[in-house]
Amino acid sequence: MRTYSFLTLLLWSCMFHAIHMMPSEKRTNKHSRSERITGLSENDGKTLHRTKRGWMWNQFFLLEEYTGPDTQYVGKLHTDQDKGDGNLKYILTGDGAGSLFIIDENTGDIHAAKKLDREEKSLYVLRAKAIDRKTGRQVEPESEFIIKIHDINDNEPKFTKDMYTASIPEMAGVGTSVIQVTATDADDANYGNSAKVVYSILQGQPYFSVDPETGIIKTALPDMSRENREQYQVVIQAKDMGGQMGGLSGTTTVNITLTDVNDNPPRFPQSTYQFSSPESAPPGTPLGRIKANDPDVGENAEIEYSISNGDGSDMFDIVTDKDTQEGIITVKKHLDFENKMLYTLRVEATNTHPDPRFLQLGPFKDTALVKISVEDIDEPPVFSRPWYLIEVDEDAKEGSIIGQVVAQDPDITKNAIKYSVDRHTDLDRIFNIYSGNGSLFISKPLDREETPWHNITVIATEINNPKQTSQIPVFIRILDINDHAPEFAKYYETFVCENAKAGQLIQTVSAVDKDEPPRGHKFFFELVPEFALHPNFSIVDNKDNTAGIMTRRNGYSRSKMSTYLLPIIIFDNDYPIQSSTGTLTIRVCACDSRGNMQSCSAEALLLPAGLSTGALVAILLCIVILLLVVLFTALKRQRKKEPLIISKDDVRDNIVTYNDEGGGEEDTQAFDIGALRNPEAREESKMRRDVIPETVFQIRRTAPLWENIDVQDFIHRRLKENDSDPAAPPYDSLATYAYEGNDSIANSLSSLESLTTEGNQDYDYLSDWGPRFKKLADMYGGEDSDRD
């Protein structure tokens, strides 16, 4: 019995192995031929027959970026074992099965559940199985198939750079290559023309052109001159679909600069120049400058001046100033007015770097005529040199002699010379000179960093003839010493992220020094000794005059410490060594995952987490509106004028001024003036009715004043009462008591009473007061005429 069961198991194992060993390339849409397999049955020993079946499907393709309302149909899996009775169940596994691709387990129809992007994944490998629902056995072996995603034109060409920069020499020929631009398209280059890019030029014509296939930009016009235009901006378009209508495109900008070539010769602006020289001018004395113009730049504009011929070629010379490209005419030999009064020179200006390609444009040189006249003068003192250069250390002491100038009288008399400094060239009086021997000395401290050069003029004067003077330029160069400490090159805005890791570079610092050591600057950085082992940060000297600030721990918290101060010592390498301490302020900031700063404000931590920016703006807006309403109400109340005196019976003997015009002397409504004129009037204290008192005070009874006939004393008493009155108004008021006083020594100033005494007046004295009072004397002194 055991042997029989073993043979049966062996038979089924062989059959199962034969089914699963079928190669996947045998899949076809045709029926496979039948194969007969004989074996022993477990029950009746009958012969078993198995028919070899096959899968049925077509090639599966799918378009990317499908945007239809329904799922996209991919294809159908089918086996000839399926009789359509629903007994078979199709199962799909592999890439995207169940998420991207779903299968109808009854019919074998496959649909794409989501939009696919070929640029992300171009093909999917899946496996299919067909299972009998009743027995759970596979009626077909598991088979593998591929769904390929077909490309659509959904990506525009993109250039490798947003902006290109190129240069080309001016005067280049047509078709000269300038630069090549490249654009790429992410679409499938093997399917259609979606990735076929064609280049065209949108801006920059007619000066440049572009090859539509390679993207090489070339010149399109000949003889483009830099002197006329130097900069060009060219816009290039890359379009897919072979440049056809409907293709996607991208653009880039190319900035093209024309570089200079030596295509312009030098030219003098005038043909003749006039100069003069005193006969006593020493050799080397500059007489004047001439310049030939060259529109080129750089070395193409460098000019060399020379004297080609003329009767003064032995007496004068010309040198080229490399900085200004000017020709400086100088005296070569001593001049003598009695021997020759006028010299003629022909000066030639030549380019030093001619370009052989443009020699056919003409000679790259020009000439001009220079006439020099010699002046006859009584020769002043002559210095031993045409100019003096003196070098002095900036730490030289006051009174130190730094150099000497020497002059002598060229005449036979050999008069004695005295020296002085032209104070127009030394306004600060830093230098002085001994008048007897021409020794220059320092009068004030020097500072190279403030003024590295001093150009002064020394005057030599003959003592016997002060009109004979000579001047000489003295160039004083201040030599540097190391007297300044290095310091930070700028103020650094340094921050560290809260999520920073240990060993992370957060800032690179550099230093500057006002000194100029002969071997160049060399700086060293380190933390101050108190912070040599700083728990939060460290400094790394890069050995190139810079240093990096590194973190020493993981994570920082703004709530615990929002700012760190890191003192750094900076040394130089000159003698004596100078150092300074700079403090680096490091703020703790919130950053994103890429390390970009988002917020450094510590106040941001105090804001409620649930309060958005919009809510804060709304709250602030409400507060502003409320303040405006309160202000408007207050201003409106101030405009209301309440009468200060309600009743005519309330006499307070004061005047309240509202800038209103009164009624004149007859207006007695404001106060009772009779109380002032009659001091014996009995007074009756009354409560104020122009304001509402907060507390009812007891009515004050004042002492009767009718016995006091002195109004001045009456006024003082009333002022004292008002000062001590608790019910007095809390605003300024003016109490006016106009009283001239009794028995004034001036008597009455009125002229109403002069009628009785006019005849007794003698006005003759007015005639003695001069012409200014003549009119008045005629009016009052001409008594007889008035009577007539």
Side-chain angles (χ1 to χ4, degrees), residues 563-607:
T563 303
Y564 292 90
L565 299 179
L566 188 66
I568 299 174
I569 302 178
I570 310 173
F571 302 89
D572 60 18
N573 66 332
D574 207 354
Y575 179 82
I577 294 177
Q578 300 286 345
S579 66
S580 67
T581 302
T583 302
L584 195 65
T585 302
I586 304 174
R587 296 185 298 165
V588 181
C589 303
C591 305
D592 56 16
S593 59
R594 297 182 179 179
N596 297 320
M597 180 179 65
Q598 293 181 335
S599 173
C600 289
S601 175
E603 289 75 4
L605 299 174
L606 302 178
L607 296 176

Short mmCIF file of all heavy atoms in Angstrom, two decimals, residues 563-607:
data_model
loop_
_atom_site.label_atom_id
_atom_site.label_comp_id
_atom_site.label_asym_id
_atom_site.label_seq_id
_atom_site.Cartn_x
_atom_site.Cartn_y
_atom_site.Cartn_z
N THR A 563 21.49 84.17 21.54
CA THR A 563 22.67 84.81 20.96
C THR A 563 23.92 84.34 21.71
O THR A 563 23.92 84.26 22.94
CB THR A 563 22.56 86.33 21.03
OG1 THR A 563 21.36 86.75 20.38
CG2 THR A 563 23.75 87.00 20.34
N TYR A 564 24.96 84.03 20.93
CA TYR A 564 26.26 83.68 21.50
C TYR A 564 27.29 84.72 21.06
O TYR A 564 27.24 85.20 19.92
CB TYR A 564 26.72 82.29 21.02
CG TYR A 564 25.88 81.15 21.55
CD1 TYR A 564 24.76 80.70 20.85
CD2 TYR A 564 26.20 80.52 22.75
CE1 TYR A 564 23.98 79.66 21.33
CE2 TYR A 564 25.43 79.48 23.24
CZ TYR A 564 24.33 79.04 22.53
OH TYR A 564 23.58 78.01 23.01
N LEU A 565 28.18 85.08 21.96
CA LEU A 565 29.27 86.00 21.66
C LEU A 565 30.57 85.21 21.65
O LEU A 565 30.93 84.59 22.67
CB LEU A 565 29.33 87.14 22.69
CG LEU A 565 28.08 88.02 22.76
CD1 LEU A 565 28.27 89.08 23.84
CD2 LEU A 565 27.78 88.68 21.43
N LEU A 566 31.26 85.23 20.52
CA LEU A 566 32.48 84.44 20.35
C LEU A 566 33.65 85.39 20.09
O LEU A 566 33.82 85.90 18.99
CB LEU A 566 32.31 83.46 19.18
CG LEU A 566 33.44 82.43 19.01
CD1 LEU A 566 33.44 81.47 20.20
CD2 LEU A 566 33.26 81.65 17.71
N PRO A 567 34.48 85.66 21.12
CA PRO A 567 35.65 86.53 20.91
C PRO A 567 36.78 85.78 20.20
O PRO A 567 37.14 84.67 20.59
CB PRO A 567 36.03 86.95 22.33
CG PRO A 567 35.51 85.86 23.21
CD PRO A 567 34.31 85.27 22.53
N ILE A 568 37.33 86.41 19.17
CA ILE A 568 38.38 85.81 18.34
C ILE A 568 39.58 86.76 18.29
O ILE A 568 39.42 87.96 18.06
CB ILE A 568 37.86 85.52 16.92
CG1 ILE A 568 36.68 84.54 16.98
CG2 ILE A 568 38.97 84.96 16.04
CD1 ILE A 568 36.02 84.34 15.64
N ILE A 569 40.78 86.21 18.50
CA ILE A 569 42.01 86.99 18.42
C ILE A 569 42.60 86.82 17.02
O ILE A 569 42.71 85.70 16.51
CB ILE A 569 43.03 86.54 19.49
CG1 ILE A 569 42.43 86.66 20.89
CG2 ILE A 569 44.29 87.37 19.39
CD1 ILE A 569 43.36 86.19 21.98
N ILE A 570 42.99 87.96 16.40
CA ILE A 570 43.58 87.96 15.06
C ILE A 570 45.01 88.51 15.18
O ILE A 570 45.20 89.62 15.69
CB ILE A 570 42.76 88.81 14.08
CG1 ILE A 570 41.27 88.42 14.15
CG2 ILE A 570 43.29 88.65 12.67
CD1 ILE A 570 40.39 89.33 13.33
N PHE A 571 46.00 87.73 14.73
CA PHE A 571 47.40 88.13 14.77
C PHE A 571 47.88 88.37 13.35
O PHE A 571 47.37 87.79 12.39
CB PHE A 571 48.29 87.03 15.39
CG PHE A 571 47.89 86.64 16.80
CD1 PHE A 571 46.95 85.65 17.03
CD2 PHE A 571 48.46 87.27 17.89
CE1 PHE A 571 46.59 85.28 18.30
CE2 PHE A 571 48.11 86.91 19.17
CZ PHE A 571 47.17 85.92 19.40
N ASP A 572 48.92 89.22 13.21
CA ASP A 572 49.63 89.32 11.94
C ASP A 572 51.03 88.74 12.12
O ASP A 572 51.39 88.30 13.22
CB ASP A 572 49.68 90.78 11.44
CG ASP A 572 50.37 91.71 12.43
OD1 ASP A 572 51.10 91.21 13.32
OD2 ASP A 572 50.19 92.93 12.32
N ASN A 573 51.80 88.73 11.05
CA ASN A 573 53.12 88.07 11.10
C ASN A 573 54.27 89.05 10.93
O ASN A 573 55.40 88.65 10.68
CB ASN A 573 53.21 87.00 10.02
CG ASN A 573 53.18 87.59 8.61
OD1 ASN A 573 52.60 88.66 8.41
ND2 ASN A 573 53.79 86.92 7.65
N ASP A 574 53.98 90.35 11.03
CA ASP A 574 55.03 91.33 10.88
C ASP A 574 55.61 91.67 12.25
O ASP A 574 55.12 91.23 13.29
CB ASP A 574 54.49 92.58 10.20
CG ASP A 574 55.58 93.33 9.45
OD1 ASP A 574 56.75 92.92 9.58
OD2 ASP A 574 55.27 94.30 8.74
N TYR A 575 56.69 92.47 12.23
CA TYR A 575 57.32 92.84 13.49
C TYR A 575 57.12 94.34 13.72
O TYR A 575 57.34 95.15 12.81
CB TYR A 575 58.82 92.54 13.47
CG TYR A 575 59.52 92.93 14.75
CD1 TYR A 575 59.48 92.07 15.85
CD2 TYR A 575 60.20 94.15 14.86
CE1 TYR A 575 60.11 92.44 17.03
CE2 TYR A 575 60.82 94.51 16.04
CZ TYR A 575 60.78 93.65 17.13
OH TYR A 575 61.38 94.00 18.31
N PRO A 576 56.70 94.75 14.92
CA PRO A 576 56.28 93.87 16.03
C PRO A 576 54.88 93.30 15.77
O PRO A 576 54.07 93.93 15.09
CB PRO A 576 56.27 94.81 17.23
CG PRO A 576 55.99 96.15 16.63
CD PRO A 576 56.65 96.18 15.29
N ILE A 577 54.62 92.13 16.31
CA ILE A 577 53.34 91.47 16.06
C ILE A 577 52.22 92.29 16.68
O ILE A 577 52.30 92.72 17.83
CB ILE A 577 53.35 90.04 16.63
CG1 ILE A 577 54.38 89.19 15.87
CG2 ILE A 577 51.97 89.42 16.55
CD1 ILE A 577 54.52 87.79 16.42
N GLN A 578 51.18 92.50 15.87
CA GLN A 578 50.00 93.22 16.33
C GLN A 578 48.80 92.27 16.34
O GLN A 578 48.71 91.38 15.48
CB GLN A 578 49.69 94.42 15.42
CG GLN A 578 50.80 95.45 15.35
CD GLN A 578 50.90 96.27 16.61
OE1 GLN A 578 50.00 96.28 17.43
NE2 GLN A 578 52.03 96.96 16.76
N SER A 579 47.95 92.46 17.30
CA SER A 579 46.76 91.59 17.40
C SER A 579 45.59 92.42 17.91
O SER A 579 45.76 93.46 18.54
CB SER A 579 47.02 90.41 18.34
OG SER A 579 47.21 90.87 19.67
N SER A 580 44.42 91.92 17.61
CA SER A 580 43.18 92.53 18.10
C SER A 580 42.16 91.43 18.34
O SER A 580 42.29 90.32 17.83
CB SER A 580 42.63 93.54 17.09
OG SER A 580 42.19 92.88 15.91
N THR A 581 41.20 91.76 19.13
CA THR A 581 40.13 90.82 19.46
C THR A 581 38.83 91.32 18.86
O THR A 581 38.41 92.44 19.12
CB THR A 581 39.98 90.66 20.98
OG1 THR A 581 41.22 90.22 21.53
CG2 THR A 581 38.88 89.66 21.30
N GLY A 582 38.24 90.48 18.04
CA GLY A 582 36.93 90.78 17.46
C GLY A 582 35.90 89.81 17.98
O GLY A 582 36.17 88.62 18.14
N THR A 583 34.75 90.33 18.28
CA THR A 583 33.67 89.50 18.83
C THR A 583 32.66 89.20 17.74
O THR A 583 32.13 90.11 17.09
CB THR A 583 32.98 90.21 20.01
OG1 THR A 583 33.95 90.48 21.01
CG2 THR A 583 31.89 89.32 20.58
N LEU A 584 32.43 87.93 17.54
CA LEU A 584 31.47 87.46 16.53
C LEU A 584 30.15 87.16 17.22
O LEU A 584 30.11 86.39 18.18
CB LEU A 584 32.01 86.21 15.83
CG LEU A 584 31.33 85.80 14.52
CD1 LEU A 584 31.56 86.85 13.45
CD2 LEU A 584 31.87 84.46 14.05
N THR A 585 29.10 87.82 16.77
CA THR A 585 27.76 87.60 17.33
C THR A 585 27.05 86.52 16.53
O THR A 585 26.84 86.67 15.33
CB THR A 585 26.95 88.90 17.31
OG1 THR A 585 27.65 89.90 18.04
CG2 THR A 585 25.58 88.67 17.94
N ILE A 586 26.73 85.43 17.21
CA ILE A 586 26.10 84.27 16.55
C ILE A 586 24.67 84.16 17.07
O ILE A 586 24.45 83.99 18.27
CB ILE A 586 26.88 82.98 16.82
CG1 ILE A 586 28.35 83.15 16.38
CG2 ILE A 586 26.24 81.80 16.10
CD1 ILE A 586 29.21 81.97 16.73
N ARG A 587 23.72 84.28 16.17
CA ARG A 587 22.31 84.15 16.56
C ARG A 587 21.83 82.73 16.29
O ARG A 587 22.23 82.10 15.31
CB ARG A 587 21.45 85.13 15.78
CG ARG A 587 21.77 86.60 16.07
CD ARG A 587 20.80 87.50 15.34
NE ARG A 587 20.90 87.33 13.89
CZ ARG A 587 19.99 87.76 13.03
NH1 ARG A 587 18.91 88.36 13.46
NH2 ARG A 587 20.17 87.57 11.73
N VAL A 588 20.96 82.26 17.14
CA VAL A 588 20.35 80.94 16.97
C VAL A 588 19.05 81.14 16.21
O VAL A 588 18.20 81.92 16.62
CB VAL A 588 20.10 80.27 18.33
CG1 VAL A 588 19.48 78.89 18.13
CG2 VAL A 588 21.40 80.16 19.11
N CYS A 589 18.90 80.44 15.09
CA CYS A 589 17.76 80.65 14.21
C CYS A 589 17.10 79.31 13.90
O CYS A 589 17.71 78.25 13.98
CB CYS A 589 18.20 81.32 12.89
SG CYS A 589 19.05 82.89 13.13
N ALA A 590 15.84 79.44 13.53
CA ALA A 590 15.11 78.27 13.04
C ALA A 590 15.37 78.12 11.55
O ALA A 590 15.31 79.09 10.80
CB ALA A 590 13.61 78.43 13.31
N CYS A 591 15.68 76.91 11.12
CA CYS A 591 16.02 76.65 9.72
C CYS A 591 15.20 75.48 9.21
O CYS A 591 14.64 74.68 9.98
CB CYS A 591 17.52 76.34 9.56
SG CYS A 591 18.61 77.61 10.23
N ASP A 592 15.13 75.38 7.88
CA ASP A 592 14.46 74.24 7.29
C ASP A 592 15.46 73.08 7.18
O ASP A 592 16.60 73.15 7.65
CB ASP A 592 13.87 74.59 5.92
CG ASP A 592 14.92 75.15 4.96
OD1 ASP A 592 16.14 74.97 5.25
OD2 ASP A 592 14.55 75.74 3.95
N SER A 593 15.03 72.01 6.53
CA SER A 593 15.89 70.82 6.44
C SER A 593 17.13 71.07 5.60
O SER A 593 18.12 70.35 5.74
CB SER A 593 15.08 69.67 5.83
OG SER A 593 14.59 70.01 4.55
N ARG A 594 17.11 72.07 4.72
CA ARG A 594 18.28 72.37 3.89
C ARG A 594 19.23 73.36 4.54
O ARG A 594 20.23 73.73 3.96
CB ARG A 594 17.82 72.94 2.55
CG ARG A 594 17.00 71.95 1.74
CD ARG A 594 16.62 72.56 0.41
NE ARG A 594 15.85 71.63 -0.42
CZ ARG A 594 15.37 71.92 -1.61
NH1 ARG A 594 15.60 73.12 -2.14
NH2 ARG A 594 14.66 71.03 -2.30
N GLY A 595 18.90 73.85 5.73
CA GLY A 595 19.76 74.79 6.42
C GLY A 595 19.48 76.23 6.08
O GLY A 595 20.26 77.11 6.45
N ASN A 596 18.37 76.52 5.39
CA ASN A 596 18.03 77.89 5.07
C ASN A 596 17.33 78.54 6.26
O ASN A 596 16.40 77.97 6.83
CB ASN A 596 17.11 77.95 3.85
CG ASN A 596 17.79 77.39 2.62
OD1 ASN A 596 18.97 77.63 2.40
ND2 ASN A 596 17.06 76.64 1.80
N MET A 597 17.80 79.76 6.63
CA MET A 597 17.25 80.44 7.79
C MET A 597 15.81 80.85 7.53
O MET A 597 15.47 81.36 6.47
CB MET A 597 18.09 81.68 8.10
CG MET A 597 17.61 82.47 9.30
SD MET A 597 18.66 83.90 9.63
CE MET A 597 18.34 84.86 8.16
N GLN A 598 14.96 80.61 8.55
CA GLN A 598 13.56 80.98 8.45
C GLN A 598 13.20 82.09 9.43
O GLN A 598 12.51 83.02 9.08
CB GLN A 598 12.66 79.76 8.70
CG GLN A 598 12.76 78.71 7.61
CD GLN A 598 11.84 77.51 7.85
OE1 GLN A 598 11.49 77.24 9.00
NE2 GLN A 598 11.48 76.82 6.80
N SER A 599 13.67 81.96 10.68
CA SER A 599 13.35 82.97 11.67
C SER A 599 14.43 82.97 12.73
O SER A 599 14.90 81.91 13.15
CB SER A 599 11.98 82.70 12.30
OG SER A 599 11.75 83.59 13.37
N CYS A 600 14.83 84.20 13.15
CA CYS A 600 15.81 84.34 14.22
C CYS A 600 15.24 85.12 15.38
O CYS A 600 15.95 85.42 16.33
CB CYS A 600 17.06 85.05 13.70
SG CYS A 600 18.04 84.05 12.57
N SER A 601 13.98 85.54 15.30
CA SER A 601 13.40 86.37 16.34
C SER A 601 12.99 85.51 17.51
O SER A 601 12.24 84.55 17.37
CB SER A 601 12.19 87.12 15.77
OG SER A 601 11.55 87.84 16.79
N ALA A 602 13.49 85.88 18.70
CA ALA A 602 13.11 85.13 19.89
C ALA A 602 11.65 85.36 20.24
O ALA A 602 11.00 84.53 20.86
CB ALA A 602 14.00 85.53 21.07
N GLU A 603 11.08 86.52 19.83
CA GLU A 603 9.69 86.78 20.16
C GLU A 603 8.76 85.84 19.44
O GLU A 603 7.62 85.64 19.83
CB GLU A 603 9.33 88.23 19.79
CG GLU A 603 9.96 89.29 20.69
CD GLU A 603 11.43 89.51 20.41
OE1 GLU A 603 11.94 88.88 19.46
OE2 GLU A 603 12.05 90.30 21.14
N ALA A 604 9.24 85.27 18.33
CA ALA A 604 8.37 84.36 17.59
C ALA A 604 8.01 83.14 18.42
O ALA A 604 6.98 82.51 18.20
CB ALA A 604 9.04 83.93 16.30
N LEU A 605 8.84 82.78 19.40
CA LEU A 605 8.55 81.60 20.22
C LEU A 605 7.40 81.87 21.17
O LEU A 605 6.77 80.95 21.68
CB LEU A 605 9.80 81.21 21.02
CG LEU A 605 11.02 80.82 20.17
CD1 LEU A 605 12.20 80.59 21.07
CD2 LEU A 605 10.72 79.60 19.33
N LEU A 606 7.11 83.16 21.48
CA LEU A 606 6.09 83.48 22.47
C LEU A 606 4.71 83.53 21.86
O LEU A 606 3.72 83.62 22.58
CB LEU A 606 6.41 84.84 23.10
CG LEU A 606 7.80 84.93 23.78
CD1 LEU A 606 8.02 86.33 24.32
CD2 LEU A 606 7.93 83.89 24.88
N LEU A 607 4.59 83.51 20.55
CA LEU A 607 3.29 83.58 19.91
C LEU A 607 2.53 82.28 20.10
O LEU A 607 3.11 81.20 20.08
CB LEU A 607 3.44 83.89 18.42
CG LEU A 607 4.07 85.24 18.09
CD1 LEU A 607 4.23 85.36 16.58
CD2 LEU A 607 3.22 86.37 18.63
#
